[in-house]
Amino acid sequence: LTAIHPKLPMRHQDETFLFYTTKLGFTRFGNHFDGYLMLQRDDIQIHFFAHPTLNPLTNYGQVYVRTSNVQAFYDFVT
């Protein structure tokens, strides 16, 4: 095995795109689809699918993204 690409629910595609690109430094890759979003940063890819009725209080999905320098990443996002 060499990689994993999580597929996560999103309530709002535009808001998800803006957060991950402006706050976390991801970029869009692949084709653009309504209700599906593919983002990448370095060797990390995250896919999102539309789930407009998702309740964040009952969503238990999680993904851990590891970094070799948490301080540098924190400085980047703040």
Side-chain angles (χ1 to χ4, degrees):
L1 302 177
T2 60
I4 186 168
H5 306 296
K7 188 173 174 183
L8 303 173
M10 66 179 166
R11 291 189 295 163
H12 306 284
Q13 186 166 346
D14 292 340
E15 290 178 21
T16 301
F17 175 78
L18 285 175
F19 176 77
Y20 277 83
T21 57
T22 61
K23 290 289 188 182
L24 301 179
F26 281 77
T27 58
R28 178 178 285 159
F29 74 95
N31 295 324
H32 176 73
F33 301 104
D34 189 35
Y36 198 83
L37 181 61
M38 297 181 289
L39 301 175
Q40 182 170 351
R41 178 175 171 184
D42 302 324
D43 291 330
I44 301 294
Q45 290 182 6
I46 304 177
H47 296 222
F48 297 91
F49 63 93
H51 190 326
T53 60
L54 175 72
N55 179 349
L57 297 177
T58 61
N59 179 29
Y60 54 84
Q62 300 176 21
V63 174
Y64 291 93
V65 178
R66 306 271 184 210
T67 179
S68 59
N69 189 337
V70 71
Q71 185 64 50
F73 185 70
Y74 175 80
D75 293 342
F76 175 81
V77 300
T78 57

